[in-house]
Amino acid sequence: MRDAQVFRPFRGTMPDGKEEIMLRIGIVGFGFMGRMHYGYWKKVKRARVVALCDTNPNLVEDTRKAVGNIAGAAQDVDFRGLAVYTDFSQMLDEARLDAISITLPTHLHAGFSIRALRKGVHVLCEKPMALDLASCQRMAEAAVDSGKVLQIGHCVRFWPEYARARQIVASGKYGGVRALSLRRFGSRPDWGRDGWITQPRLSGGMILDLHIHDTDFVQYLLGTPRAVQSRPAPDASGAEALIVTHYLYDHTLAVAEGGWSMMPSFGFEMSFHLIMERATLIYDCTRTPALRLCPAQGQSFTPRVEPGDGYSRQIDYFVQSISGRPHRETVLTLADSMESVRIVAAEKQSARSGKTVRLS
């Protein structure tokens, strides 16, 4: 890998002819999710990816390989326009970054986020926030102390169909939520470098890495449950490969199931059924149309959703945050991200003990 090269600040021209300094973006960890972030950052008009940091000695060659369970990571990367580092401290010292995407294994989220924040760099860190609440708390404190934005990549909150579901519920048009069920299934994620995703000490395991998407959306839609009841199914090694969780609320039935147990030919599925008093809202990413609302009166129809997907919309939200522009609504806070880690910890405890675990 060639030595890092340092760029001067990148500037663009606005329609009125005025010069605008663009956001200088770095990406740390250039595996599947790092490549996803790279592709989406390239679409942001006011930003330019100027630096990457990764210790993989075969980075250029490996970047050409298709990995992951979602389309978008397989693309050409022009390394001639990037400063490539193997040392994170050097990257922070030299690249003069405004913001950074941290797309590293979960056990590294806290340390790398804190170092970037203390250097005065805004951080978009992949979910989950960290392996445990103590690490989450250190990250949140570093964000407050630095005055910089730390956003966790809970992309499902920004996914157009899930965001529309929350808008419909919040409107009250179809009454309260009677039941919510969510599903998220894929095959074993062996594409992570050195198999880190399937190692619980590095990723937190399937429940924290995959299932947390639905846990976070349950919290976003209904708030923190009183308690959780979780039942797992282990793989050959004894690690949780599947989970079914009941989130206990006073007046709403909520359940999420998912895991890494599917065969490679299955692909990926995420879906939900949202049952309200006067309508049912159904989403299935494998169907066309994927979203369908069935009201008590009249024919079913597909509600209008915002353009883009969860990745592009979460980056737009992050850019708006670091630019100091107010949001139309608050979609995600650090407290939310920490709470999802807390709920998942309770789910793990319930799965292993066979008992209901209270959260409040």
Side-chain angles (χ1 to χ4, degrees), residues 245-295:
T245 293
H246 289 264
Y247 305 88
L248 304 187
Y249 295 91
D250 290 336
H251 304 292
T252 303
L253 174 66
V255 61
E257 60 177 320
W260 293 338
S261 61
M262 299 306 189
M263 298 301 105
S265 59
F266 175 83
F268 177 75
E269 172 194 323
M270 62 180 183
S271 61
F272 64 73
H273 284 70
L274 176 59
I275 302 171
M276 296 166 283
E277 291 173 327
R278 294 185 294 277
T280 300
L281 184 65
I282 303 167
Y283 170 72
D284 185 336
C285 74
T286 68
R287 295 182 179 180
T288 302
L291 186 67
R292 187 161 55 98
L293 192 142
C294 308

Side-chain angles (χ1 to χ4, degrees), residues 12-27:
T13 303
M14 299 181 70
D16 60 5
K18 294 181 179 179
E19 188 177 58
E20 179 187 32
I21 296 179
M22 310 294 277
L23 295 171
R24 295 173 60 86
I25 307 300
I27 299 175

Side-chain angles (χ1 to χ4, degrees), residues 68-94:
N69 60 353
I70 300 175
Q75 59 183 295
D76 291 332
V77 177
D78 184 2
F79 286 95
R80 295 172 301 176
L82 297 168
V84 181
Y85 296 87
T86 58
D87 184 280
F88 184 54
S89 295
Q90 184 184 6
M91 180 186 188
L92 290 177
D93 287 340
E94 296 182 354

Side-chain angles (χ1 to χ4, degrees), residues 58-73:
N58 301 312
L59 180 64
V60 176
E61 179 182 348
D62 288 351
T63 299
R64 300 190 181 102
K65 301 175 182 177
V67 293
N69 60 353
I70 300 175

